Amino acid sequence: MNPRLNSLLLVVLAGCASTSEGTPRVTARRAAAVATGGNRDDRSRCDATRPGRTVSEYDTNRDGAPDVRKVYQTVGEGTEGHSVLVCREVDLNHDGTKDVFRFYNDEGRTTREEADRDFDGHIDVISYYEAGEIVRQEYDTNRDGMVDTRQFFRDHRVFRAERELQHDNSPDFRADYWEFYDNRGHVVRIGWDYDHDGRADRWDRVDRVAPTRSVTVPAGDPDAG
């Protein structure tokens, strides 16, 4: 688990609703996720039957079953034509089911990655890239099939995270808790939206709280222990 998620997860129980209350929203958001054009376009890049596509498979642990699958697309014509990796699927735990799906554009740069990190057969982390660099990650931390946490990256570091604590019937992600980080990954500001209007009602500046100093006893000090 990403350490920056731990502080977000501390407040999850306060915002959890019952299973019956969350069910309609689960169905709605799952349907919305399936209908997005971006998802359909990315998934189609793994279809090796399309014109100009070739596929390669690898058995990395030599158990007789391929656990890595790569799909290539021919880009350009004649002497300008060349193959570009457009999809990569990986079975991390060698159980016969792919756990990671990475998608690339026609320049071979990563655009998005889906991952099932707990190997339960459902995607729980989606990473988004721009110019080959990660810019956002979305998480389903409670395994209900919906995104409930987002992290935003700048220069390969998380600078902001947000979470939806309030369960409702909307298919849209609506953050009601925010965290901002400094360049060292420390939380400096926390926001809370109590009336669920999409705007923070309270901000706490964590960086203005004096840190607790720990006393280090020199080695060999007779009073130590």
Side-chain angles (χ1 to χ4, degrees), residues 1-13 115 117 124-127 134 136-143 146-153 158-165 173 177-181 185-187 190:
M1 176 68 71
N2 190 311
R4 294 185 180 88
L5 278 177
N6 291 338
S7 53
L8 283 170
L9 294 178
L10 292 176
V11 297
V12 174
L13 294 178
R117 296 191 177 182
D124 44 45
V125 181
I126 303 177
S127 304
I134 188 169
R136 185 173 85 252
Q137 282 189 320
E138 299 181 346
Y139 300 83
D140 172 16
T141 63
N142 59 0
R143 302 180 181 180
M146 300 179 295
V147 171
D148 51 58
T149 302
R150 290 176 174 174
Q151 290 186 324
F152 297 84
F153 293 76
V158 177
F159 71 93
R160 176 166 63 93
E162 57 188 28
R163 184 174 181 87
E164 181 177 353
L165 301 178
F173 177 88
Y177 176 80
W178 296 266
E179 287 185 351
F180 288 80
Y181 308 93
H186 299 155
V187 178
I190 298 175

Side-chain angles (χ1 to χ4, degrees), residues 6-94:
N6 291 338
S7 53
L8 283 170
L9 294 178
L10 292 176
V11 297
V12 174
L13 294 178
C16 288
S18 67
T19 302
S20 59
E21 293 173 342
T23 299
R25 180 165 158 264
V26 171
T27 304
R29 188 170 293 176
R30 278 177 177 162
V34 172
T36 59
N39 290 353
R40 287 196 303 268
D41 180 62
D42 283 343
R43 285 291 183 168
S44 70
R45 301 182 83 77
C46 298
D47 182 2
T49 65
R50 296 201 172 193
R53 298 275 175 88
T54 57
V55 62
S56 296
E57 295 184 328
Y58 308 88
D59 178 11
T60 60
N61 65 337
R62 301 181 181 180
D63 65 351
D67 41 51
V68 177
R69 178 176 180 268
K70 295 181 179 180
V71 178
Y72 297 85
Q73 173 72 54
T74 299
V75 178
E77 299 180 355
T79 58
E80 299 294 329
H82 60 281
S83 293
V84 176
L85 179 65
V86 293
C87 172
R88 181 174 182 265
E89 303 173 339
V90 183
D91 175 9
L92 295 176
N93 62 341
H94 310 293

Side-chain angles (χ1 to χ4, degrees), residues 19 32 48 52 70 107 112 185 197 213 221:
T19 302
K70 295 181 179 180
E107 296 177 350
R112 195 164 67 94
D197 64 353
R213 294 185 177 181
D221 192 317

